[in-house]
Amino acid sequence: MTRLPRVVIAAAASGQGKTTVAVGIMAALRRRGLAVAPAKVGPDYIDPGYHALATGRPGRNLDPWLTSPEQIAPLLLHGARTPYTADLSVIEGVMGLYDGQMGTDGFASTAHVATLTDSPVLLVIDISSAARTIAASVHGLASYDPSVRVAGVVLNKAGSARHAAEVRRAVEATGLPVLGVLPRDAGVSVPSRHLGLVPAAERDEAAAGLDRLAGQIAEHLDLDAVLDLARTAPDLADEPWTPPVVHRTTPPRVVAVAGGQAFTFRYAETDELLRAAGCEPVVFDPATDTSLPQGTSGLYLGGGFPEAHAPALTRNTPLLAELRDAVASGMPTVAECAGLLYLAEALDDHPMVGALPAAAAMHPRLTLGYRTAVLPVDGMLGAAATAVHAHEFHRTRTTPPTAGPGAWLVDGAPVGFALDPAGTGRPTVHASYLHVHWAGNPSLATSFADAVHAYEPVTTGARPSDDHAPVAAHPATTADAVDPLDHHGDAELRGTGRTLVDLAVNVRVPVPPVWLSDRIAACTTRLAAYPDVSQARTAIARRHGVPETMVLPTSGAAEAFTLIARAVPGRHPLVVHPQFTEPEAALRRVGRVPERHLLHGDTGFVLDPALVDPNADLVLLGNPTNPTGVLHPRASLESLLGPGRTVVVDEAFIDAVPGELDSLISAQMPGLLVLRSLTKTWGLAGLRAGYVVGDPDLIALLAQHQPPWSVSTPAAVVMSATATRSALEQADDLARKATSDRAYLVRGLQERGLRPVDGVAPFVLVEGPSGAREALRDNGFAVRRGDTFPGLNAAWIRIAVRDTTTTDAFLTALDDVLAHTAASAPELAR
């Protein structure tokens, strides 16, 4: 059984205000520090965009027609577990409470989903044109179907306090509580477009409007009562949905996914299914990016409003040409609705990609409805006769409406385009107006991924892709010639001539979470003012339970090491190696040559404090240590402290340890400085955000040497945002996931006879056969070389922990490396 507090926000009809209330509740609860998992009943794509903006999590769609009734509760639980466990779920309904698929007695209605998920319903009722009659409507909605549990009411658009009181009395007489009353001017006015609301991604003012809405909802609704209502939901017996994992022997292949303001619609599970099938979705913006992501082997062009951005799409001629060549070369391409329009020759007379023999234009009639579709021929999405449920929603037409055998057969007639421009013998372009929820049809994702992995460009006048050209042995990277102390993981990805799977850089997520990106984007309106880190300092101090005098925000850990090298006294600095090389590099840049205390593999790289030179008066080390991953016990490091000595501990990876065990941050830190980095967990290497916590006298000394305004406004915003309780809970969830993924990688290495260092960090250090790093590069994987870390040699490599699908592909490549090594030097293949 799974515990998930949840509530469905429903209404008597469309236009009653359920989106305003649902999004406002999500945002207000998030402001309280709660993690809210959003969901939307039906196929709608626009409301989930606002849900994501409000909660910082992907908006999820619950549609029994597009998936199946049996999948609804599992998909809800999956959304509540991904990317981290939520405190509750808020589910926005569709149309009126009992309105579903026509002719089916309410199939796929809000009431249907509420029943499938056993969720209480909170009714939103527009009372602007009635008073006591509202109670009759509420009573009818609550009693119409006994299996639907209407548990509360929100009154919207009250004309006056007297009006609200009259309606409240009447409704509460039915036995239902009124949880809030919104006046006419509450909420936000979301601009409309010909297909509904304007997507959140297109509204620069959306974040500010959302903050205003959250405040109004908190003022006018009883949020505690909403939470109590959600907690009445019984436990669910279902297991969370998980995408079926396809184990492949090749590295993940890049699927370029259209995004930006013109392409805002796709189901969140699409990306998850592609990753599980061995692909890496990479979002590009057709309006602004002049080339496809490096290494692209497939295209997914989803829904959106390209007609609203046609001039910008047309002006981006380099990308149009590259896309046209890519499609012509046989690159597997799926285009749904907006993607179909973009691939056409023109859209309302604006030139587009020109990959389809058709032109598109706006039409006065809206096309809307569920469809049953069948693949007419074998293709990259599956075998002929594969049937799916789909949804169609557009106000454009193409001339002609179809070509080839058609992408689908609907009622026996072909619709859309199935083309084989490279003459491969089967369609490689699948373009239609239909949107398909791949979670209900996971075989589509598997078949598409198969086509992506099999793709080799066919030269038919198109430019050949360097990413798929034969590659000889990789040249040495330019970093091989630099000072080893200045070599970092990103150098492993340069000078290869092709895309490598990145297991060299320890940034743990490819992009920041949506909620954090939103906070960063919102602060850009304040960039004209000089940065102020006072709120960040307060947030960090509160997060660690220390006085603000013990906190110094910095421009990443690198600035902190520079400040320490310049400001902290010590005639005999000492660096414990192997560890991150920047502390020693910073000391050397100011003319201070430190002593090196080397730890050894035969003792597991574990520190014995008694062996550290007693004359060292400035000791620097990492915990957990990069690159070994070893977590030294707190007591062991505290024993290094003493009169006349400053100890500096780099805890850049401690937030990858569940519970941050053995951190040295405390309310009393005499002679101690602890460095933290926010770039690894939150995907912010390009922003530079970190801080130092420690002895107030030492913190003041560092501050005297810090340049004015070295910490930017976005970095300060990140420091505050990631210090909240919900952010810390998310970080801990990510740490637990990383721990599991690390154990999986370690087992794989051990099964191959290797002996990885026993550690806890989101990377693994292992000694391999000679030339393993170079051979892995030839097999498509970049790992961090070990010989630039003092105390290690070229046999050592550091491997970043990734998801199990990526790890499986890496281990397959490693098998090939070990097999070749065993053939030439069996004694090295241990």
Side-chain angles (χ1 to χ4, degrees):
M1 304 294 287
T2 302
R3 181 67 179 153
L4 175 64
R6 57 196 180 276
V7 61
V8 171
I9 311 298
S14 295
Q16 298 275 301
K18 61 179 176 292
T19 297
T20 296
V21 172
V23 173
I25 288 174
M26 293 174 190
L29 291 177
R30 184 185 179 192
R31 289 209 318 188
R32 281 193 173 191
L34 295 174
V36 182
K40 169 69 180 180
V41 177
D44 183 274
Y45 303 90
I46 299 176
D47 290 349
Y50 285 94
H51 295 177
L53 192 65
T55 65
R57 300 166 69 102
R60 304 279 176 172
N61 290 78
L62 304 176
D63 191 312
W65 167 260
L66 291 180
T67 56
S68 71
E70 296 74 23
Q71 281 188 295
I72 296 305
L75 284 168
L76 174 67
L77 290 172
H78 170 70
R81 296 276 187 89
T82 308
Y84 55 94
T85 302
D87 295 304
L88 78 160
S89 180
V90 176
I91 307 165
E92 182 188 345
V94 62
M95 298 187 293
L97 176 58
Y98 296 103
D99 299 327
Q101 186 180 7
M102 297 292 287
T104 64
D105 296 328
F107 188 90
S109 66
T110 301
H112 188 198
V113 170
T115 303
L116 291 171
T117 60
D118 205 355
S119 301
V121 175
L122 179 61
L123 274 178
V124 179
I125 301 294
D126 181 346
I127 66 171
S128 59
S129 300
R132 286 180 53 80
T133 304
I134 297 297
S137 299
V138 168
H139 176 70
L141 288 166
S143 60
Y144 180 76
D145 184 347
S147 68
V148 178
R149 183 163 65 94
V150 176
V153 179
V154 172
L155 307 179
N156 191 26
K157 299 184 181 179
S160 65
R162 183 182 179 190
H163 177 212
E166 179 77 2
V167 179
R168 180 190 285 270
R169 283 195 303 272
V171 169
E172 290 182 340
T174 70
L176 289 173
V178 174
L179 275 58
V181 180
L182 299 176
R184 290 183 192 274
D185 61 350
V188 292
S189 177
V190 181
S192 295
R193 182 171 289 158
H194 54 272
L195 294 182
L197 303 178
V198 174
E202 294 191 38
R203 301 189 58 218
D204 293 336
E205 75 279 14
L210 188 64
D211 190 61
R212 184 169 62 254
L213 173 61
Q216 291 170 330
I217 290 293
E219 177 184 355
H220 295 291
L221 263 66
D222 186 344
L223 290 177
D224 289 328
V226 174
L227 288 171
D228 289 341
L229 190 156
R231 293 179 183 124
T232 66
D235 295 353
L236 291 169
D238 304 84
E239 291 295 320
W241 175 85
T242 56
V245 176
V246 179
H247 296 285
R248 298 189 182 276
T249 59
T250 54
R253 302 291 291 270
V254 172
V255 173
V257 177
Q261 293 189 351
F263 292 87
T264 55
F265 305 165
R266 70 180 183 279
Y267 294 112
E269 293 80 4
T270 298
D271 288 10
E272 295 165 348
L273 282 159
L274 287 174
R275 288 192 179 93
C279 296
E280 182 55 38
V282 178
V283 176
F284 72 102
D285 187 343
T288 60
D289 291 331
T290 57
S291 64
L292 289 170
Q294 188 175 10
T296 294
S297 298
L299 293 169
Y300 182 90
L301 311 174
F305 293 107
E307 61 271 26
H309 303 277
L313 297 173
T314 293
R315 287 193 298 269
N316 194 357
T317 55
L319 183 63
L320 292 175
E322 184 176 352
L323 276 164
R324 187 163 51 249
D325 290 349
V327 173
S329 75
M331 182 178 289
T333 302
V334 172
E336 293 187 346
C337 201
L340 163 71
L341 304 180
Y342 185 49
L343 290 183
E345 294 173 348
L347 172 56
D348 283 335
D349 297 324
H350 293 282
M352 293 287 132
V353 173
L356 302 180
M362 293 297 295
H363 192 274
R365 181 179 176 184
L366 174 66
T367 300
L368 169 67
Y370 287 128
R371 306 285 184 257
T372 297
V374 176
L375 287 175
V377 295
D378 292 347
M380 63 181 172
L381 291 185
T386 298
V388 302
H389 285 170
H391 185 254
E392 191 171 6
F393 186 36
H394 58 93
R395 203 184 285 273
T396 59
R397 296 287 189 276
T398 65
T399 305
T402 186
W408 302 102
L409 296 178
V410 175
D411 295 330
V415 298
F417 298 78
L419 306 176
D420 181 16
T424 65
R426 61 189 299 176
T428 58
V429 178
H430 180 100
S432 79
Y433 277 115
L434 302 189
H435 290 287
V436 181
H437 197 314
W438 283 11
N441 307 271
S443 66
L444 302 185
T446 302
S447 294
F448 179 62
D450 289 341
V452 171
H453 278 266
Y455 166 67
E456 292 294 340
V458 176
T459 304
T460 56
R463 293 188 301 270
S465 170
D466 292 340
D467 297 301
H468 303 286
V471 179
H474 294 297
T477 66
T478 55
D480 291 342
V482 305
D483 185 333
L485 294 178
D486 292 328
H487 181 91
H488 300 293
D490 57 337
E492 305 289 353
L493 303 171
R494 303 176 193 147
T496 65
R498 63 172 182 171
T499 300
L500 300 177
V501 179
D502 179 12
L503 302 183
V505 176
N506 283 322
V507 176
R508 293 160 57 200
V509 293
V511 294
V514 173
W515 61 266
L516 187 53
S517 296
D518 291 344
R519 291 288 298 274
I520 296 169
C523 81
T524 58
T525 58
R526 294 185 275 128
L527 294 184
Y530 285 98
D532 179 359
V533 299
S534 57
Q535 291 184 0
R537 183 183 293 107
T538 300
I540 295 166
R542 185 182 303 116
R543 177 246 200 273
H544 290 292
V546 300
E548 292 184 30
T549 55
M550 292 178 61
V551 175
L552 180 69
T554 61
S555 180
E559 185 193 29
F561 287 126
T562 299
L563 296 176
I564 290 166
R566 292 175 177 173
V568 177
R571 296 173 61 94
H572 301 289
L574 177 147
V575 179
V576 178
H577 282 295
Q579 79 140 347
F580 185 46
T581 55
E582 186 58 27
E584 179 168 330
L587 287 166
R588 289 177 176 270
R589 282 195 289 268
V590 296
R592 304 171 72 180
V593 180
E595 176 187 352
R596 291 178 174 179
H597 179 85
L598 297 181
L599 305 179
H600 300 285
D602 55 4
T603 59
F605 297 102
V606 175
L607 175 69
D608 182 350
L611 299 180
V612 174
D613 185 346
N615 295 316
D617 50 9
L618 174 59
V619 177
L620 301 97
L621 72 162
N623 201 43
T625 306
N626 175 16
T628 66
V630 171
L631 181 66
H632 303 292
R634 178 189 179 101
S636 179
L637 300 188
E638 286 178 334
S639 69
L640 293 172
L641 294 167
R645 172 184 283 180
T646 299
V647 176
V648 177
V649 181
D650 176 13
E651 291 188 353
F653 294 99
I654 198 76
D655 60 354
V657 179
E660 297 189 356
L661 298 178
D662 291 300
S663 171
L664 267 69
I665 295 179
S666 65
Q668 301 294 325
M669 299 174 64
L672 176 62
L673 294 173
V674 171
L675 279 60
R676 288 293 185 94
S677 170
L678 299 175
T679 62
K680 290 9 178 231
T681 291
W682 303 110
L684 294 167
L687 191 146
R688 312 311 305 149
Y691 55 90
V692 186
V693 181
D695 186 320
D697 291 338
L698 293 173
I699 292 293
L701 194 60
L702 298 182
Q704 292 175 13
H705 286 75
Q706 188 176 37
W709 311 299
S710 68
V711 176
S712 69
T713 295
V717 167
V718 164
M719 293 173 194
S720 297
T722 57
T724 63
R725 183 169 70 88
S726 60
L728 296 177
E729 289 175 353
Q730 179 178 351
D732 200 56
D733 285 341
L734 292 172
R736 296 181 191 282
K737 176 66 164 58
T739 299
S740 173
D741 289 342
R742 187 185 202 278
Y744 188 85
L745 172 59
V746 167
R747 285 195 301 272
L749 295 171
Q750 291 171 336
E751 289 168 357
R752 286 153 178 81
L754 300 176
R755 297 194 296 271
V757 175
D758 187 15
V760 297
F763 47 81
V764 175
L765 182 68
V766 65
E767 189 175 12
S770 177
R773 179 180 72 99
E774 293 79 3
L776 285 167
R777 285 161 66 87
D778 288 333
N779 280 267
F781 288 85
V783 296
R784 175 65 159 87
R785 63 188 296 179
D787 57 347
T788 62
F789 293 103
L792 300 180
N793 58 38
W796 291 93
I797 57 174
R798 190 194 69 194
I799 309 160
V801 170
R802 301 289 190 248
D803 60 273
T804 56
T805 300
T806 303
T807 295
D808 284 337
F810 166 74
L811 292 173
T812 299
L814 180 61
D815 287 335
D816 182 64
V817 171
L818 295 176
H820 282 82
T821 303
S824 58
E827 70 279 5
L828 294 179
R830 312 189 261 116

